[in-house]
Amino acid sequence: MILWLNGTFGAGKTTTAKELASRIPEARLFDPEQVGYMLWHVLGKPRDFQDFPPWRGLVVETARQVLDHVGGTLVVPQTVLNERYWHEIRTGFAKAGIPVRHYLLHSDHDTLVHRIETDTDPESAGARQWRLDHLADYQRALPWLREKAEVVDTTGIPPSRVAELVIAGRGNG
């Protein structure tokens, strides 16, 4: 099984994913960005790695092989705002026989801006403006995301509660 945590920067995907991995037996974190970094190394870095068609296929194939090897649950904290890309990934998992629970972790705009601006992770500091600039892309994607994912509003609730909602298989928004 895959628990896919979608949403924009500052929604709580990474923190919630760590909570889930610590609470669900035989769960592992799977970060599709690592697949993207590998592709940047091989294909160059002129754009978002999600735009590379191999990224989407390799995410599915890597997850399939990991699950075939170890079983359990993969917790995937990854923003996908392009509906066509999500459809490719979801279809790939379906063809591989892998069930997916897709969650949209959502917060209001002011909360997202605050979380991005106050993130203390050293790696986040360099990407702060890039993350802020992509909030508009998230807003444009919200209609299809709300339709294709279970929404969990993370505004004002701790990641431990968000994890409980995901484990219970229900959103709150």
Side-chain angles (χ1 to χ4, degrees), residues 1-169:
M1 165 168 286
I2 291 179
L3 296 178
W4 192 289
L5 306 179
N6 207 340
T8 195
F9 308 103
K13 297 180 306 296
T14 301
T15 307
T16 300
K18 290 175 185 174
E19 283 277 338
L20 288 167
S22 72
R23 293 172 181 226
I24 299 171
E26 298 184 27
R28 290 169 169 64
L29 288 175
F30 173 62
D31 185 355
E33 285 192 9
Q34 298 302 318
V35 175
Y37 298 148
M38 183 270 303
L39 286 173
W40 274 345
H41 176 74
V42 174
L43 302 175
K45 193 177 175 181
R47 59 184 179 197
D48 185 336
F49 57 73
Q50 289 188 17
D51 293 334
F52 290 129
W55 179 78
R56 300 180 296 279
L58 285 169
V59 165
V60 170
E61 183 59 18
T62 304
R64 184 193 67 75
Q65 292 223 10
V66 168
L67 287 171
D68 284 351
H69 182 68
V70 298
T73 300
L74 292 183
V75 180
V76 183
Q78 180 66 48
T79 302
V80 177
L81 300 180
N82 183 308
E83 185 175 12
R84 185 172 53 87
Y85 295 175
W86 174 250
H87 179 74
E88 278 183 56
I89 292 166
R90 181 67 186 226
T91 300
F93 287 139
K95 286 180 181 175
I98 301 169
V100 177
R101 288 175 39 201
H102 182 206
Y103 289 91
L104 171 63
L105 303 190
H106 174 76
S107 286
D108 64 63
H109 181 77
D110 291 342
T111 299
L112 293 170
V113 169
H114 175 74
R115 289 177 182 172
I116 293 168
E117 289 179 341
T118 60
D119 191 341
T120 58
D121 181 352
E123 291 184 25
S124 297
R128 187 167 289 130
Q129 190 57 52
W130 187 85
R131 291 174 178 188
L132 289 168
D133 291 345
H134 281 77
L135 290 177
D137 295 336
Y138 173 66
Q139 288 298 318
R140 283 190 292 278
L142 265 176
W144 78 261
L145 285 167
R146 289 182 190 276
E147 182 181 314
K148 303 286 183 184
E150 180 111 19
V151 179
V152 179
D153 189 340
T154 66
T155 307
I157 64 173
S160 58
R161 178 67 181 137
V162 176
E164 289 170 7
L165 291 168
V166 170
I167 289 168

